C-alpha cells in the first residue's frame, strides 16, 4: 500500500482533532522559550507541560501524549533527563521529536543529537545549518525548516511553502513548531502527515499574523492570536503543500 | 469579634495601598513564567525579585515584604531553596503563599506540597484538580481558582466571580495571581481580605482586557495594560464578590 | 589625540553597521528575561545565543563577536561558567559588558561583581543603587542608567537623555540594553561610542514605542517593533546626547 501525501484537507481535519482531543505535550525545552512554546501549544488546542526535573520526568512523560525534545541551553542534567524521557516514551510507544538547536555551534550538542537520532525518534527537525551537520537520521522523518520547509522519509518528499519572514525575527518560532508538531503526532500516527499538517497550520497562521503586524513584537502577539483563531477555510484557501510525483 | 468580609471598596483601597507602598515580592517561580509574573507584579505596583540561588535566598527574603512559592519545574535544588525561604519568612513573620502547580501530575511534587502545607503558609492556592489531591491545608486560607474562585478559612467562605475564559489560554495567569496575592498580603494582614481583593483586581482587569483582545496573544498584552491602568471606579462597578451569610 | 564624542550621526552609522554585519552576541543572562533579550538583539539586527552550560560555553564564546554578562538569578554554576567565558573573551580580545543586577540586594552578588570588575570588562552598567555599591570599575567604561543615562571613562563624560518612563515598568529593559550595547561593541572598538550609540538607539525606540502604548504590555510589543523599524532620520531628529565641554 502506498503511503498517502499530506493535503490541506488533512491539515484542517487534524487541527480539528487536536482541538477536540486536547493532547498533552511534554516539552524538554530550552529555558529561553518555555512560555512562548507553552502559549503556542495552548493556542492550537493542546495542553503543555515543561518540567526538566529528574525526579518528575517519569510521571510527566507517562501522562503525556507526545514529547518534544529541544537541545537549546543543554547541560549534563538536561541530557540525563532527556535520556530517561526517551526511554519511557519508547517503552510506552509515544511519539517524540528532536530539535537539535544550534548543534552546529557546539560539538557536545552535536554528539548528543547523534545519540538521540539513533534512539528512534519519530522526527528530527532543524534549520539548514543544523541538518547539514546532523547528516543521517536513521528511520526518522527528516525536516529542514526555512523559507520553505522540506520533509522527507523513505517514501515521500514534501515541501510546505507557507510561512513568513517575520518568523525568523521572533526567538523560538522553530522551537514552538516542534511543540505543535508533537501535538499533531498525538492524533495522527503517520509522522509525515502530522508534521506537514502542523507546519501548514503554523505557516498559514504566520501569514495571517503578518497582515496585522508592524514588526516582530506585534507579529508574535498576532501569531498566537492566529493559531488560536485559525479556521478550516483559512487552511483550505492558503495551504501550499507540494510533493514530488512518483 | 467577627472577621469582616471582602468588598469592592476594600479591594480598591488595597490596590491604592499597593501602588503607594510598592511592596517587594520575592518569587520562587517556575522558569516558564518568570518574566510574565515579574511584569504583572510591576504593573500592579509591586517590586518583584526572582532568584532561586541557594546562597542568595536569605538576602532576598530578608529584603522582601511577601513571598510566593510556585512548585512548577521543581527539582531538588529548588526544594532546598524553598525550605530555606520558608524558614526565614516564618521567623521574620512574612506572609507566603504556596501554588502547588501540577501536583496532581507528580507524586514527588504532591508530597512536597503537603510538607509545605504543614509549615503554616498564609495561603494555598490551586485549581480544582490540584486542590482535590492537596486535601487539608491546616490553618491556611484555601483558594481554589477557576471560572469562579472559591476562598475559605475557618470563619468565611467567599467567591470571586470576576475573570475571563481567555485567562486559561495564557500560560501563567494562575502563577501571576499568586504573585499579586502576595503583593496584597504585604499591605493587609488578613489573608482573606488580601487574596479576595487581589483576585477581584485580577479578574476585573481580565474582563477589561478581553474587550480589547482577539485571542490569547493580544489578551496577555491587554491584561498587563489593564492591571497597570485599573481605576477604583472599575473595581467598584465590576466587582462580583459573593459570600455565604452567617 | 583627543578621543571623540558620540553623536547622533555616529549612532545612526553604527546601527547601519550592526544591521549589515549581524554580529553574534552571546548572553549569560538571568533566566527571567532570556527571550526578551534575544528578541531585542534580533530586532536590532544581531544574532543572540544564550547557553550557560559549562561544557558548551567555550564553543559559543569562540563563535561570538561580543558578550553580555548579567548577574540576575546567579548561582555557583553560573559563576563558574561566567569565569570561563570571561577568560576566553579576554584571550580572544572580545568585548564584554557586566550588568550587576540587584548587587545591592545580595553580598555574594556584589562580591562577584567586584571580582569581574577587576578582570578588565569593557563596560560595567547598572542603575544608581547598583553603581553606588559597585564603586570603582577600574579602566572600564562606567554607565549608570536611569531617567538619564550617564557614561564616563577617563577622558569623557556623556549623558543620554532619551528614553521613556514605561521602560521601568517592563522587566528586562535594562538587561536588554546590555545585549544591545554588546552588539554595538562588536562593530565599534571605542566602548564609549558604541554604548552611547546603543543607548541612544534604545532610548529613541522607547520614545517612539510609547506613542503607540497604553501600558507596559503594549509598550513592550511596540518597543520591539520600534527597534526593528528604527530609521536613521528617527535617530537624527530625536537623539539627545550631551557632554561636558573640555
Amino acid at each position: 500500500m502506498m503511503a498517502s501525501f499530506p493535503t490541506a484537507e488533512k491539515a484542517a481535519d487534524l487541527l480539528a482533532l487536536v482541538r477536540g482531543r486536547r493532547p498533552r505535550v511534554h516539552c524538554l525545552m530550552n529555558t529561553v522559550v518555555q512560555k512562548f512554546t507553552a502559549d503556542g501549544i495552548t493556542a492550537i488546542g493542546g495542553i503543555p507541560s515543561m518540567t526538566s526535573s529528574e525526579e518528575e520526568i517519569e510521571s510527566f512523560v507517562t501522562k503525556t501524549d507526545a514529547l518534544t525534545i529541544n537541545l537549546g541551553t543543554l547541560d549534563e542534567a538536561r541530557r540525563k533527563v532527556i535520556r530517561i524521557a526517551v526511554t519511557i516514551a519508547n517503552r510506552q510507544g509515544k511519539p517524540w521529536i528532536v530539535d537539535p538547536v544550534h548543534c552546529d555551534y557546539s560539538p557536545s550538542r552535536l554528539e548528543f543529537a547523534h545519540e538521540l537520532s539513533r534512539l528512534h525518534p519519530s522526527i528530527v527537525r532543524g534549520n539548514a545549518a543544523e541538518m547539514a551537520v546532523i547528516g543521517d537520521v536513521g528511520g526518522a522523518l527528516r525536516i529542514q525548516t526555512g523559507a520553505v520547509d522540506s520533509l522527507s522519509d523513505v517514501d515521500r518528499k514534501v515541501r510546505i511553502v507557507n510561512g513568513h519572514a517575520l518568523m525568523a525575527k521572533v526567538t523560538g518560532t522553530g522551537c514552538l513548531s516542534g511543540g505543535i508538531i508533537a501535538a499533531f503526532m498525538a492524533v495522527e500516527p503517520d509522522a509525515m502527515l502530522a508534521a506537514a499538517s502542523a507546519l501548514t497550520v503554523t505557516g498559514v497562521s504566520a501569514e495571517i499574523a503578518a497582515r496585522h503586524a508592524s514588526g516582530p513584537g506585534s507579529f508574535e502577539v498576532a501569531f498566537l492570536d492566529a493559531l488560536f483563531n485559525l479556521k478550516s477555510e483559512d487552511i483550505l484557501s492558503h495551504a501550499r503543500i507540494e510533493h514530488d510525483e512518483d
Side-chain angles (χ1 to χ4, degrees), chain A:
Chain A
M1 192 188 116
M2 251 178 61
S4 59
F5 278 98
T7 62
E9 290 73 19
K10 184 71 183 177
D13 288 351
L14 291 184
L15 176 60
L17 268 187
V18 167
R19 288 181 176 157
R21 293 195 195 160
R22 307 210 59 205
R24 291 177 176 185
V25 178
H26 191 74
C27 307
L28 288 162
M29 184 55 56
N30 69 72
T31 56
V32 183
V33 299
Q34 289 182 330
K35 178 163 159 59
F36 181 51
T37 304
D39 280 337
I41 291 171
T42 304
I44 213 70
I47 300 175
S49 59
M50 288 278 155
T51 189
S52 297
S53 162
E54 186 183 337
E55 60 265 49
E56 299 191 321
I57 191 63
E58 181 165 357
S59 303
F60 278 80
V61 174
T62 299
K63 290 255 186 191
T64 201
D65 298 301
L67 189 63
T68 180
I69 293 175
N70 180 292
L71 303 190
T73 64
L74 190 68
D75 59 20
E76 190 48 42
R78 291 179 78 84
R79 248 191 293 267
K80 191 172 176 188
V81 167
I82 290 170
R83 288 189 185 103
I84 298 172
V86 162
T87 303
I88 298 167
N90 279 347
R91 190 190 306 145
Q92 299 179 347
K94 288 175 179 170
W96 55 285
I97 174 171
V98 179
D99 187 346
V101 180
H102 273 332
C103 65
D104 51 323
Y105 272 53
S106 161
S108 70
R109 206 178 280 191
L110 178 59
E111 188 184 353
F112 190 58
H114 282 141
E115 175 186 334
L116 291 178
S117 296
R118 289 189 296 270
L119 295 174
H120 311 294
S122 312
I123 302 178
V124 179
R125 182 211 76 84
N127 63 27
E130 291 154 3
M131 296 313 287
V133 295
I134 286 278
D136 183 51
V137 297
L141 176 68
R142 180 191 180 86
I143 306 181
Q144 182 174 311
T145 50
V148 172
D149 302 326
S150 300
L151 299 81
S152 56
D153 62 15
V154 283
D155 298 315
R156 297 164 287 185
K157 288 191 191 307
V158 171
R159 290 176 302 281
I160 309 296
V161 187
N162 295 104
H164 192 276
L166 276 172
M167 296 176 84
K169 299 299 176 191
V170 174
T171 303
T173 50
C175 306
L176 169 54
S177 78
I180 294 178
I181 290 170
F184 277 68
M185 286 200 292
V187 302
E188 167 57 57
D190 182 334
M192 172 63 89
L193 297 184
S197 298
L199 290 168
T200 301
V201 161
T202 305
V204 171
S205 296
E207 293 170 14
I208 293 172
R211 288 185 224 146
H212 304 284
S214 41
S218 50
F219 174 75
E220 176 172 338
V221 168
F223 182 49
L224 289 172
D225 284 357
L227 287 169
F228 184 74
N229 293 314
L230 194 69
K231 291 178 177 51
S232 287
E233 51 261 40
D234 297 325
I235 301 173
L236 299 179
S237 59
H238 287 73
R240 288 183 287 163
I241 305 170
E242 302 176 352
H243 60 82
D244 299 338
E245 298 297 331
D246 293 311

